[in-house]
């Protein structure tokens, strides 16, 4: 049907509610979670088997897909993105086993989680713009629900509604842009579009379509004036879901921008780079400034995600192969780092029961291992070598200099400094403070939660020390679209 | 025959009306309707442009897209309305502007 | 009817956008598609569409069914009964 | 040379730091002594390379790392790197030995030794690096360690704040450094020093000046020069051993090393760049020395004196002659020795008295004779009294200024002499306030005694090194002549009469009033600040020329203000969000269309 990794995930998605039914009969709350984790692992294995073929040449499903046929097209970029999504999905599922144990409706939770990742896999594998859109909705709808999953509190409901309205408006905007694109070219197949748009003159209507699509994806990728849902939705969701939202869901937006801008609105025919760079600069500056004084740990991290998306957008806006490689590297690294930070925040919240930084003071002394992991992630995201965040930020800055966008690069460097400042503040509060009264009784984090966190922290260090193979992968992925 | 431009202007205005609805209306259910208007603007655009191809020819491609996307819009509304139910339970109102405890 | 700031701003921007789009559409005629038509159709559109959909967009249809499934699960998840719901609600 | 010593010199401390948490599980004492041992082993490796480089051995070993950037990880063995590495590992080992006594009763020692070892390992790695990226990575690691170590006493909020300040301020410089490295790479396609050296000739002079200035920006941050010196005095909140390490061996010397290294990479330096380096160095030397006169915190006095002495090194480098280059390195060695000595003495004093305020000390000469004697040696070296090492090196710097002649040369000579006058004054002031006179009332009920021998042994070693090292100039010049052949001329300690007599006169000019005021007490020190003008000057000095307040007002307060304003944009009203959506859309359309029309 689709490619094997997606099919596997679909099977698991559809069967998880039944597993949940069995789970209730057996009175074991953990089965559906393990089932979902197995699903991710299996899908990851399938992806690995697929990768060698897909990396060398794009794989089209069905094989003789016509111009008007819905099709999947798995190339190096798809494999790269899908690998990140699956890995994060797996780790977060393992984390959720413990983290979500106090909630009800767990089998539905895992179903939605699987559905969301399936949708993302479909998004990156789609070879047709409309197929991408259908999978996009398949990703979005579960994510709305997951944000509002703890509906017995007001915050997730409010955030979920805002998220839903803005994001759906974004989806509709993509659809509108797509319709203009269809009117211009008569097809929505990516391969075909790229051929047609190369030969056709850059029409004014092409620019209109570009604006619609960029804004639509920009909502998901939290571009500056469209970011407003993010600081609400990411903190309101359960921490495991925040890790996925900040780690990979907003990356799907970046993926959409990369795919459309590089394969349809080719940078050689459409001059969008300055516009995108302006938006990127606004996004990173706003994100960093707003994060600076936050009192809520998850809100701070959410704002920082906006800033980091600004870096990725800036990397994309250089339009060079270097820049795209850097952007993809940062996509991967940010997924790891921000996911890790949210998971750590989740561990703190799980034990201390508060998100307020004033009340979390010195909690690192009670949860030493979590604190060390948190510090690694925070230093990494603020670009301190030899951790992975440094590698990609270095590459982005290089790409900026290389593309001759010196002014924007300087803006980015200043932003890195700003981000560095509030992450140091965060480390100071968590690690370098005397414990307050209400964290005195806190115990260390459960092993099942520590396990995925430790794994991610380790990979942060490994990617930082020996980034060569990962850069190789990212560069291959970048070559696939340029 | 009415020129294509009129139709395009119509969908563009429909899109703007949708955004206007989202940007000014207080009632949450109206906001959900606003999203529907946006999707329908896009759908109409597909239909219009499918006939722009060649005189006397209508492209089935666009129509199949519209059929699918209508169903998707329905899904979104369903989820949106269930969330609205809970928002009403928590806030006791359907006024979207009362949902502003999260800010800053 | 009384206008507040947001409504006034929304109306202004919306009218601006309408004017811009109308002027734009009036000035730039929409081109015909660049590629060649897919089918030589003589049948009525309705029949053609259903045939086309099953033949060419089957993947999308399956994905659409999945979205429906996802939305159903989502609604279920939000509307799930929760015993301690009332207790936690008062925050 | 021992096998693989260029690699092991920094591997050993870094691996050691990873072992520290494991050793700590076994036994606290074991951890302390092993940390010392690791650095001692590292210093064995670095010293083993000295004979080889003396005999003209040069090596540049590379192992491929990131092929995408054509980047290797490598080590560079040449006189400069081996000399610096030996100095760092030697002083690092002594400081760790000293910490066994000094830090014995502290909490969180695992953290302390972890970061100390990483600090030393990082610094040696920085020195041995053969390319800019590796240098930058270690540069940041050093910054990270300084942050963790300055904030070691996390229960004191000032300490944590000082740590953050150090990290952030030095990172401002690092951003410049990074940009410089990238622009350099973009124009040469290389990161490695040797390859850049080969292709540097093709670069235009203006580009080269830009790059060099950006690199120097990094050095300004790390070496605490004007205008980024503000972090160093605050960094005194950390344990004294950390301050000693930062000042004598690791952190602040990194900037000098970078400037010295770039001087060997780019053979022709533009005069603009040299002028900036020399100017910054001279201004820093003078300003910091004056600030040292006004402070009562013994560690801050030493901190300001470090800034001032680094300023000397910088302006020696800014002369642009091989003699100046050599003099700066020579002074770096002297400074490392005497500053380590002074800090460790100060540490011993603080250890015993429990205060850093010199007004609460006094009269310690009777109770701590060894510390007193060694402190005197350090102070004499600092104020360049013959025959201690500070004299030889500082005199060489002044002589080189004199030899260069011209406007710049004489101006720098004048600035250096002026600074020397102030230097001896504050050195005498520090000695007198701490050790001479009567004990203050605060100390009456404290049990005053000499520090334990594990602390005094490093003091004695360093003090004797201070006496000896000045006479090593000939062999040091021989060693360094491989970098610049002309340096060989300096292997004879020929002294020119005029500069020598001027600098000796400076000692008297500065020393005599200070002696009268602080030792003889013929004029009360308080009387100096009585006049309205001198009161103003005093206030200016105490507040560090208001650099700190300025930064605080403009950057910290400004950022907070902007942040608060920007946060208002998140109104939380969905309608407003959608309005922003529409406006953003129109803005994007506008940008795209102006791009279409070739506007941008």
């Amino acid at each position: 049907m689709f490619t094997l990794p997606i099919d596997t995930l679909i099977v698991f998605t559809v069967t998880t509610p039944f597993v949940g039914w069995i789970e209730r009969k057996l009175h074991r709350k953990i089965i559906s979670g393990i089932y979902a984790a197995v699903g991710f692992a299996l899908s990851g294995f399938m992806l690995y088997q697929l990768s060698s073929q897909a990396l060398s040449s794009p794989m089209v499903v069905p094989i003789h897909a016509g111009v008007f046929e819905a099709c999947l097209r798995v190339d190096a970029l798809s494999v790269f993105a899908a690998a990140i999504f699956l890995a994060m999905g797996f780790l977060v599922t393992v984390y959720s086993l413990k983290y979500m144990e106090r909630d009800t409706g767990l089998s539905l939770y895992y179903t939605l989680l699987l559905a969301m990742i399936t949708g993302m896999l479909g998004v990156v594998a789609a070879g047709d713009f409309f197929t991408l859109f259908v999978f996009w909705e398949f990703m979005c709808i579960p994510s709305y629900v997951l944000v509002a999953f703890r509906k017995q509190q007001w915050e997730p409901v409010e955030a979920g509604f805002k998220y839903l309205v803005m994001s759906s408006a974004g989806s509709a905007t993509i659809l509108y842009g797509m319709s203009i694109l269809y009117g211009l070219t008569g097809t929505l197949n990516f391969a075909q579009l790229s051929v047609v748009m190369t030969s056709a003159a850059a029409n004014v209507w092409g620019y209109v379509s570009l604006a619609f699509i960029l804004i639509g994806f920009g909502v998901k990728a939290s571009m500056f004036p469209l970011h407003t849902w993010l600081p609400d939705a990411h903190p309101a969701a359960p921490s495991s879901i925040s890790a996925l939202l900040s780690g990979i869901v907003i990356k799907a937006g970046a993926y959409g921008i990369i795919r459309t801008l590089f394969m349809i609105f080719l940078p050689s025919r459409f001059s969008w780079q300055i516009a995108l760079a302006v938006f990127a600069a606004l996004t990173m500056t706003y994100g960093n400034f707003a994060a600076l004084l936050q009192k809520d740990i998850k809100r701070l991290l959410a704002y920082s995600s906006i800033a980091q998306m600004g870096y990725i957008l800036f990397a994309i806006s250089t339009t060079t192969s270097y820049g795209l490689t850097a952007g993809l590297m940062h996509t991967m690294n940010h997924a790891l780092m921000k996911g890790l930070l949210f998971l750590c925040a989740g561990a703190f919240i799980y034990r201390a029961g508060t998100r307020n930084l004033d009340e979390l003071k010195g909690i690192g002394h009670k949860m030493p291992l979590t604190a060390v992991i948190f510090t690694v992630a925070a230093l990494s995201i603020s670009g301190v070598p030899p951790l992975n965040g440094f590698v990609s930020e270095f590459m982005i800055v290089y790409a900026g200099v290389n593309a001759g966008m010196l002014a924007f690069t300087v803006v980015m460097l200043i932003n890195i400094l700003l981000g560095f400042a509030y992450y140091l503040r965060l480390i100071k509060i968590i690690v370098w403070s005397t414990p307050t009264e209400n964290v005195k009784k806190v115990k260390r984090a459960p092993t099942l939660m520590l396990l995925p966190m430790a794994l991610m922290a380790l990979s942060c260090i490994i990617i930082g020390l020996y980034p060569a193979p990962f850069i190789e992968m990212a560069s291959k992925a970048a070559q696939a679209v340029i | 025959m009415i020129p294509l431009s009129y139709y395009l202007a119509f969908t563009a205005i429909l899109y703007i009306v949708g955004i206007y609805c989202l940007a000014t209306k207080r009632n949450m259910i109206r906001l959900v309707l606003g999203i529907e208007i946006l999707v329908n603007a896009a759908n109409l655009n597909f239909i219009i442009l499918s006939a722009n191809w060649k005189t006397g020819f209508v492209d089935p491609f666009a129509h199949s897209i519209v059929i699918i996307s209508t169903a998707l819009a329905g899904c979104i509304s369903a989820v949106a309305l269930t969330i609205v139910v809970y928002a009403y339970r928590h806030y006791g109102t359907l006024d979207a502007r009362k949902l502003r405890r999260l800010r800053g | 009817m009384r206008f507040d700031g947001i409504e006034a701003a929304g109306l202004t921007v919306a009218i601006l956008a309408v004017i811009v789009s109308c002027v734009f559409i009036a000035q730039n005629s929409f081109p015909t598609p660049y590629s060649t038509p897919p089918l030589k159709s003589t049948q009525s559109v309705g029949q053609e569409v259903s045939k086309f959909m099953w033949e060419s967009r089957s993947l999308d249809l399956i994905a659409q069914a999945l979205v429906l499934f996802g939305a159903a699960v989502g609604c279920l998840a939000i509307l799930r009964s929760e015993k301690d719901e009332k207790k936690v609600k008062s925050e | 040379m021992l096998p693989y010593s260029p690699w092991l010199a920094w591997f050993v401390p870094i691996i050691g730091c990873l072992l520290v948490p494991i050793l700590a599980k076994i036994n606290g004492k074991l951890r302390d002594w092993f940390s010392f041992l690791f650095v001692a082993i590292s210093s064995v490796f670095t010293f083993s390379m000295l004979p080889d480089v003396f005999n003209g051995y040069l090596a540049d070993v590379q192992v491929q790392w990131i092929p995408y950037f054509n980047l290797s990880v490598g080590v560079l063995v040449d006189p400069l790197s081996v000399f610096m590495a030996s100095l760092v590992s030697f002083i690092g080992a002594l400081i760790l030995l000293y910490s066994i006594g000094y830090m014995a009763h502290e909490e969180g020692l695992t953290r302390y030794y972890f970061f100390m070892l990483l600090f030393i390992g990082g610094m040696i790695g920085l020195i041995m690096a053969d390319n800019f990226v590796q240098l930058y990575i270690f540069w940041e690691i050093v910054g990270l360690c300084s942050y963790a170590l300055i904030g070691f006493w996390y229960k004191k909020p000032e300490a944590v704040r000082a740590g953050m300040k150090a990290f952030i301020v030095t990172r401002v410089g690092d951003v410049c450094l990074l940009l410089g490295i990238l622009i350099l790479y973009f124009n040469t396609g290389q990161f490695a020093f040797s390859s850049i050296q080969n292709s540097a000739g093709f670069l235009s002079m203006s580009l080269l000046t830009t790059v060099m200035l950006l690199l120097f920006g990094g050095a300004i941050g790390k070496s605490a020069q004007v205008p980024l010196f503000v972090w160093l005095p605050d960094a005194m909140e950390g344990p004294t051993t950390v301050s000693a390490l930062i000042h004598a061996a690791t952190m602040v010397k990194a900037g000098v090393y970078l400037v010295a290294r770039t001087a060997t990479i780019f053979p022709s330096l533009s005069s603009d760049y040299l002028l900036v380096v020399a100017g910054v160095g001279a201004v820093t030397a003078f300003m910091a020395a004056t600030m040292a006169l006004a402070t009562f915190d013994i560690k801050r006095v030493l901190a300001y004196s470090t800034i001032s002495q680094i300023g000397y090194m910088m302006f020696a480098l800014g002369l642009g002659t091989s003699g100046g280059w050599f003099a700066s390195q020579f002074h770096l060695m002297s400074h490392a020795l005497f500053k380590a000595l002074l800090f460790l003495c100060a540490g011993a004093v603080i250890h015993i008295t429990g205060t850093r305020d010199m007004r609460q000390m006094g009269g310690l000469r009777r109770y701590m004779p060894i510390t007193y004697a060694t402190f005197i040696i350090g102070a004499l070296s600092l104020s360049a009294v013959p025959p201690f090492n500070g004299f030889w090196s500082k005199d060489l710097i002044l002589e080189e200024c004199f030899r260069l002649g011209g406007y710049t040369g004489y101006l720098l000579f004048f600035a250096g002499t002026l600074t020397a006058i102030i230097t001896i004054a504050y050195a005498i002031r520090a000695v007198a306030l701490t050790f001479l006179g009567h004990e203050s009332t605060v100390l009456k009920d404290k049990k005053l005694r000499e520090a334990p021998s594990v602390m005094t042994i490093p003091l004695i070693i360093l003090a004797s090194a201070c006496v000896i090292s000045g006479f090593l100039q000939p062999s040091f010049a021989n060693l360094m002549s491989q970098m610049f052949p002309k340096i060989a001329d300096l292997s004879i300690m020929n002294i020119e009469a005029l500069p020598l007599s001027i600098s000796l006169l400076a000692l008297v000019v500065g020393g005599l009033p200070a002696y009268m005021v602080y030792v003889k007490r013929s004029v009360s020190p308080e009387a100096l600040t009585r006049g309205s003008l001198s009161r103003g000057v005093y206030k200016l000095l105490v507040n560090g020329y208001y650099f700190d307040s300025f930064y605080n007002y403009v950057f910290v307060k400004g950022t907070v203000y902007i942040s608060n304003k920007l946060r208002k944009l998140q109104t939380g009203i969905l309608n407003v969000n959608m309005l922003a959506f529409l406006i953003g859309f129109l803005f994007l359309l506008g940008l795209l269309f102006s791009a279409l029309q070739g506007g941008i």
Side-chain angles (χ1 to χ4, degrees), chain D residues 358-561:
Chain D
M358 293 193 294
R359 283 168 295 191
Q360 299 178 4
M361 298 176 184
L364 293 174
R365 177 184 42 164
R366 281 183 291 273
Y367 305 99
M368 311 175 74
I370 302 176
T371 314
Y372 172 60
T374 46
F375 194 87
I376 286 278
I377 292 175
L380 290 176
S381 278
L382 168 68
S383 38
V385 173
F388 300 102
N389 60 1
F391 165 72
W392 301 106
S393 51
K394 193 185 279 183
D395 209 50
L396 193 60
I397 291 178
L398 295 180
E399 254 174 53
E400 285 299 330
C401 295
F402 200 74
R403 212 166 282 159
L404 182 73
Y407 243 145
T408 9
Y410 290 124
L411 212 60
L412 288 174
F413 180 78
F414 175 70
T417 316
L418 205 61
T419 310
I421 293 172
I422 305 169
T423 306
I424 188 163
Y426 70 71
I428 290 178
R429 175 171 175 270
V431 171
L433 286 179
T434 315
F435 290 100
L436 306 179
H438 301 288
E439 303 108 273
S440 74
T441 45
V442 188
L443 296 180
K444 277 286 188 308
D445 39 341
K446 284 218 174 97
K447 231 176 83 190
L448 299 174
R449 60 186 150 67
E450 186 55 85
S453 59
V454 73
M455 285 163 70
T456 47
I457 288 172
L459 295 185
I460 295 167
I461 296 175
L462 282 170
S464 35
C466 278
V467 180
I468 299 164
S469 78
F471 299 101
L472 294 178
Q473 186 186 343
S475 45
F476 191 52
N478 266 333
L479 176 68
M480 287 298 175
S481 62
Q482 289 166 34
M483 307 296 295
F484 294 105
K486 267 193 181 168
I487 294 176
D489 302 344
L490 295 167
S491 59
I492 321 135
M493 297 169 91
N494 59 337
I495 292 166
E496 284 185 38
L498 187 59
L500 177 70
S501 41
I502 292 177
S503 58
L504 285 181
L505 189 68
L507 288 183
V508 178
V509 169
L512 213 56
Y515 183 76
M516 297 310 280
V517 173
Y518 290 103
V519 183
K520 281 282 172 216
R521 301 267 170 181
S522 33
V523 186
S524 134
E526 284 75 30
L528 294 180
T529 56
R530 215 154 277 162
S532 65
L533 177 67
S534 54
R535 175 175 297 279
V537 172
Y538 178 73
K539 248 180 119 181
L540 185 69
L541 295 183
V542 165
N543 288 309
Y545 292 90
Y546 293 100
F547 268 95
D548 238 351
S549 334
F550 174 74
Y551 289 149
N552 191 38
Y553 195 77
V554 173
F555 293 111
V556 180
K557 293 257 174 66
T559 315
V560 167
Y561 178 79

Side-chain angles (χ1 to χ4, degrees), chain A residues 238-278:
Chain A
S239 288
S240 47
I241 297 305
S242 319
L244 281 186
L245 288 177
S246 258
I248 53 180
V249 174
I250 54 176
K251 303 303 164 16
Y255 169 86
I257 290 177
I258 292 175
R259 186 60 96 186
T260 47
L261 290 195
F262 282 90
M263 284 192 77
I264 303 172
F265 305 101
L266 308 153
S268 52
R269 313 206 121 258
F270 289 84
S271 49
W272 41 259
Q273 50 167 317
I274 295 294
L276 191 60
V278 168

Side-chain angles (χ1 to χ4, degrees), chain D residues 295-346:
Chain D
T295 176
F296 284 101
D297 182 333
I298 182 168
K299 284 178 73 182
R300 283 179 94 95
V301 172
L302 296 179
Y304 284 127
S305 99
T306 301
I307 301 174
S308 159
Q309 300 296 316
I310 301 278
Y312 268 115
M313 296 173 210
M314 284 295 180
F315 84 65
L317 284 168
L319 294 177
T321 60
S322 55
W325 188 89
F326 172 74
S328 83
Q329 294 309 301
F330 190 39
H331 194 55
L332 188 148
M333 175 165 81
S334 309
H335 175 254
L337 293 170
F338 69 68
K339 193 47 63 71
L341 173 63
L342 286 171
F343 261 113
L344 295 187
C345 288

Side-chain angles (χ1 to χ4, degrees), chain A residues 167-471:
Chain A
S167 181
S168 316
S171 305
T173 312
I174 297 175
L175 196 66
Y176 197 95
M178 208 191 295
S179 70
I180 297 175
L181 196 61
Y182 161 77
L184 282 174
T185 59
T187 175
L188 286 178
N189 188 307
F190 278 128
Q192 192 67 21
L193 278 172
S194 102
V195 174
V196 175
M197 295 304 261
T198 324
S199 53
N203 193 288
V204 212
W205 284 96
Y207 275 91
V208 174
S209 164
L210 167 63
F212 272 101
I213 290 170
L214 195 55
I215 284 288
F217 282 121
V219 171
K220 231 357 176 237
S222 72
M223 246 156 54
F224 165 58
L226 321 169
H227 67 277
T228 35
W229 60 273
L230 192 147
D232 296 342
H234 288 203
S239 288
S240 47
I241 297 305
S242 319
L244 281 186
L245 288 177
S246 258
I248 53 180
V249 174
I250 54 176
K251 303 303 164 16
Y255 169 86
I257 290 177
I258 292 175
R259 186 60 96 186
T260 47
L261 290 195
F262 282 90
M263 284 192 77
I264 303 172
F265 305 101
L266 308 153
S268 52
R269 313 206 121 258
F270 289 84
S271 49
W272 41 259
Q273 50 167 317
I274 295 294
L276 191 60
V278 168
F279 271 88
L282 284 174
T283 306
M284 58 176 102
T285 314
Y286 176 78
N288 277 328
F289 270 111
L292 208 59
L293 297 173
Q294 291 297 329
K295 284 250 182 293
D296 177 337
I297 180 169
K298 284 177 78 177
R299 216 173 163 77
L300 191 153
L301 294 178
Y303 273 115
S304 143
S305 285
I306 297 177
Q308 301 286 328
M309 283 313 286
Y311 301 161
I312 294 173
L313 291 178
F314 173 58
I316 295 170
S317 77
T318 59
T319 68
T320 56
S321 138
Y322 273 126
L324 200 51
T325 308
L328 290 172
M329 268 304 272
H330 200 61
T331 305
M332 178 178 81
N333 288 339
H334 180 243
L336 265 178
M337 303 178 299
K338 190 50 67 65
L340 187 50
L341 283 167
F342 267 118
L343 294 188
C344 287
F348 294 139
I349 295 161
Y350 183 82
R351 282 304 190 203
T354 174
R355 275 163 37 189
N356 194 327
L357 279 173
D358 291 334
E359 294 170 27
L360 284 175
K361 256 186 192 154
I363 195 170
H365 294 280
K366 299 287 165 192
M367 306 170 76
L369 206 53
T370 318
V372 169
I373 291 170
F374 184 82
T375 314
V376 167
L379 288 177
S380 175
I381 204 166
S382 42
V384 173
L387 297 162
N388 61 352
F390 165 71
V391 178
S392 43
E393 277 169 21
F394 178 82
M395 287 172 71
I396 293 175
V397 173
Y398 170 68
V401 176
N402 187 26
M405 302 163 104
L406 208 57
F408 288 106
T409 311
V410 171
V411 170
M412 165 148 178
L413 282 171
I414 294 169
N415 269 294
I416 288 178
L417 267 182
L418 263 178
F420 179 67
Y422 63 76
Y423 274 109
L424 274 193
R425 171 174 163 256
L426 204 53
I427 294 174
K428 177 192 150 196
I429 291 169
I430 299 289
V431 184
W432 303 98
S433 300
T434 333
T436 52
E437 275 308 310
N438 61 326
V439 301
K440 281 266 165 67
K441 300 184 289 290
V442 164
K443 292 196 293 268
R444 59 182 280 277
T447 317
L448 209 53
M449 278 158 74
L450 274 177
L451 214 63
M453 280 151 60
L455 209 63
M456 285 161 82
L458 205 64
S459 45
C460 278
I461 297 170
I462 289 172
I463 295 175
L465 285 176
Y466 190 61
F470 299 94
I471 295 178

Side-chain angles (χ1 to χ4, degrees), chain B residues 21-22 25-35:
Chain B
C21 170
L22 289 175
K25 293 296 166 235
R26 290 158 172 269
N27 193 314
M28 286 200 265
I29 293 172
R30 285 194 192 192
L31 293 183
V32 177
L33 288 179
I35 296 169

